[in-house]
Amino acid sequence: MKNVLSSLLHRKGIVRKRIRFVCRMTTFCILLLGISLLTMPVVSAANLQIFFRKQPDFHLHRLLPKQIVIGSHETNGMSMATDLTPQSWPKLISKAAVLIDLRTGTVLYAKNPMVRHYPASLTKILTALLALQTTPLSDEISISAKAAAEPPDKLYQLPGETHSLKKLLYAMLLDSDNDVAEEIAQDLAGSQAAFADWMNSAAIQLGAYHSHFVNPSGLPNTEQYTTAYDMSRISYAAMQVPEFRKMVDTKSIYWNGEAWHATLTNINPLLFSYPGAIGVKTGYTSEAHETLVVAAKRGQQEFLAVLLDCPLNSEIVTDATQLLNAAFARATSIILLPSHYIVGYLVDPLGTRVPLQLTEQVAAVLPLGGHERIQSIHWHVDNLRSRKVLPSGTQIGMASIRVTGAENETLRVPIVLAAKWQGKQHARTSNWGSVVILAFIFVGVVLFVKRRQRSRRNRSY
């Protein structure tokens, strides 16, 4: 008995020592925290909100469809059209330029596509894209004193003035307002620096690896630069957003602010002068000189031109006009098979027809009239004999697609299940699994009842 009591007292003493140790350590940590709070600078609630704000998912992968393009090849990281002769393109004054097919993003023409230049207000294309991808257009945004102090072009808003994001984006894209760009950046990301991080992250996701942004407006900064090819990637993605297309194709809106109101006319001259023009944005600073992104559509054909570092506005307009004219006169693109196209069916062990679909669209970029070369399209899919249950979206192999014409070309495109595949194991489980489970339940119930009966008999004795 004495040994038991001594053992209990010894354990009780150990517990007390541990409690005292924990209390001392807790007190020490509280003192350290208090000292650090007294010595550190005051942190505002706004700064805390910026610190804990996470970078959103921009969903940019949805804007860049996976595809295989017939008539193209990879050159210096660019998908270039193969059959278009470089010598046939016009001579340009702009120091850098890229022309792309807007349906596929394939480069048709390039002049110094990877050379760095200042983007000027073409920056606002990316600013608008991120706003559209992260924030509802109905959200109300208030301008800060810092944003209101941005240099012209601007809307002369008063600090605290509030407007919807939709209204602000229309003004920024038509009138190229710097105060709006800064206002959007501060509201969405918390600060200009945080929004610049968003822009640089988004640029990489879009394949614009040679660009760097430090502000949302394009005001001069030696650390803010892009290339003609990078700006074509950013513009290509933005033009996949229907609301963005609608905005840059708008010729004028009426701005009714608290301190200033006016009719804002789109400053893109080609929107008024070039047949089929559908946007997108101009830019100018004394360092960048004239910059321009312009897109045009005629019938099913769409092309987009990027031009950087041109001395005069009249010269860059001429360059863009010549490039687009050459594109419509020389090139065509065709979507042969869209993404998610059903190429066939396979029958699983339960007798269900499971559709098979492509994961990439199949397109072609050819010289004008070249679509006549594509006479027919055939595909073959190997049979699937899987005993496993496979969920929808599982890649099961590659489809061989043969395009016949002037030159036969065979493509290999991934295919996935468009519905669940019920394997043989699942078939057996569906027939016998339920029987086995019911049998186990029945045996369990019988054993439970017999045990209760036996216990009652024992209590009666």
Side-chain angles (χ1 to χ4, degrees):
M1 188 67 178
K2 290 181 179 180
N3 292 334
V4 174
L5 288 173
S6 62
S7 176
L8 291 173
L9 291 172
H10 177 70
R11 290 180 181 178
K12 189 173 182 181
I14 293 174
V15 171
R16 285 179 176 175
K17 288 181 180 179
R18 289 179 178 176
I19 291 174
R20 283 198 298 269
F21 175 76
V22 171
C23 291
R24 288 170 182 171
M25 290 301 298
T26 304
T27 304
F28 179 71
C29 290
I30 292 172
L31 287 173
L32 283 179
L33 180 61
I35 293 170
S36 62
L37 289 174
L38 289 173
T39 57
M40 71 183 295
V42 177
V43 179
S44 66
N47 288 335
L48 285 174
Q49 185 180 9
I50 294 170
F51 181 79
F52 288 108
R53 187 176 300 185
K54 294 182 179 179
Q55 189 175 105
D57 185 355
F58 304 126
H59 306 289
L60 298 177
H61 63 281
R62 301 176 185 175
L63 306 179
L64 303 174
K66 295 181 179 180
Q67 59 187 344
I68 294 176
V69 181
I70 299 171
S72 69
H73 64 282
E74 288 292 321
T75 301
N76 298 324
M78 301 183 298
S79 177
M80 290 280 298
T82 302
D83 297 332
L84 300 177
T85 307
Q87 290 79 5
S88 64
W89 295 97
K91 301 293 183 181
L92 303 180
I93 299 174
S94 301
K95 291 185 178 180
V98 163
L99 174 71
I100 66 170
D101 167 57
L102 196 49
R103 302 175 78 189
T104 64
T106 304
V107 177
L108 309 179
Y109 168 88
K111 175 184 178 181
N112 300 324
M114 299 299 183
V115 177
R116 289 182 181 178
H117 289 279
Y118 297 126
S121 286
L122 300 187
T123 303
K124 296 182 177 82
I125 296 174
L126 182 55
T127 300
L129 175 60
L130 294 184
L132 288 166
Q133 292 297 104
T134 60
T135 310
L137 289 173
S138 58
D139 275 18
E140 295 288 320
I141 295 178
S142 297
I143 190 168
S144 67
K146 180 179 182 299
E150 287 288 291
D153 291 329
K154 59 192 296 183
L155 294 177
Y156 302 97
Q157 299 178 80
L158 301 176
E161 188 171 336
T162 301
H163 298 280
S164 70
L165 175 62
K166 182 177 182 178
K167 186 177 179 181
L168 291 170
L169 284 176
Y170 267 96
M172 183 183 74
L173 291 172
L174 270 68
D175 197 47
S176 201
D177 299 305
N178 297 318
D179 56 346
V180 174
E182 181 66 26
E183 175 183 1
I184 290 173
Q186 290 181 13
D187 187 87
L188 269 58
S191 69
Q192 183 187 96
F195 192 79
D197 289 339
W198 288 18
M199 299 174 77
N200 293 317
S201 175
I204 292 173
Q205 294 178 47
L206 294 172
Y209 302 117
H210 305 90
S211 297
H212 187 260
F213 299 95
V214 295
N215 67 60
S217 61
L219 288 171
N221 190 301
T222 56
E223 295 300 314
Q224 180 135 324
Y225 51 82
T226 190
T227 69
Y229 176 71
D230 282 8
M231 190 51 63
S232 76
R233 297 295 298 170
I234 293 169
S235 302
Y236 172 65
M239 290 297 283
Q240 310 308 310
V241 181
E243 194 62 42
F244 180 88
R245 276 198 175 219
K246 183 179 178 183
M247 290 177 178
V248 296
D249 195 21
T250 300
K251 294 184 176 180
S252 66
I253 62 168
Y254 185 74
W255 175 262
N256 187 17
E258 293 182 8
W260 185 73
H261 55 86
T263 297
L264 305 180
T265 302
N266 198 317
I267 60 176
N268 180 3
L270 286 160
L271 192 62
F272 301 88
S273 63
Y274 190 81
I278 53 175
V280 286
K281 187 79 185 70
T282 65
Y284 173 82
T285 64
S286 57
E287 293 83 359
H289 304 127
E290 297 288 346
T291 62
L292 174 65
V293 177
V294 60
K297 178 178 182 179
R298 296 178 186 173
Q300 296 300 314
Q301 300 305 312
E302 297 181 335
F303 300 105
L304 180 142
V306 178
L307 301 109
L308 300 177
D309 198 350
C310 191
L312 300 176
N313 180 261
S314 60
E315 292 172 336
I316 203 169
V317 168
T318 299
D319 281 355
T321 301
Q322 291 179 340
L323 266 186
L324 291 173
N325 285 343
F328 284 113
R330 291 175 172 84
T332 185
S333 65
I334 314 165
I335 306 299
L336 301 174
L337 297 173
S339 180
H340 307 303
Y341 184 83
I342 302 298
V343 297
Y345 295 84
L346 291 177
V347 180
D348 68 16
L350 292 183
T352 304
R353 294 176 76 237
V354 180
L356 309 176
Q357 66 183 15
L358 301 179
T359 60
E360 303 178 13
Q361 75 174 10
V362 179
V365 175
L366 304 165
L368 191 65
H371 64 280
E372 297 174 357
R373 292 164 39 187
I374 300 175
Q375 298 173 1
S376 60
I377 303 173
H378 308 275
W379 55 82
H380 171 74
V381 180
D382 294 333
N383 195 17
L384 177 65
R385 293 184 175 88
S386 176
R387 294 176 176 272
K388 299 180 180 179
V389 176
L390 301 176
S392 175
T394 301
Q395 181 175 334
I396 62 167
M398 307 288 285
S400 297
I401 299 177
R402 188 175 75 259
V403 180
T404 61
E407 297 178 1
N408 293 339
E409 187 168 356
T410 300
L411 309 172
R412 299 283 287 172
V413 185
I415 55 172
V416 298
L417 297 172
K420 186 176 181 181
W421 174 273
Q422 309 287 4
K424 290 185 178 181
Q425 290 179 346
H426 184 273
R428 288 198 299 269
T429 301
S430 61
N431 292 331
W432 294 99
S434 57
V435 176
V436 172
I437 292 171
L438 288 174
F440 272 110
I441 293 174
F442 177 76
V443 171
V445 171
V446 170
L447 292 176
F448 177 75
V449 171
K450 287 186 176 181
R451 189 173 180 179
R452 290 290 299 272
Q453 290 176 349
R454 192 180 298 115
S455 62
R456 287 177 181 175
R457 291 196 199 99
N458 292 336
R459 284 200 297 271
S460 63
Y461 289 114

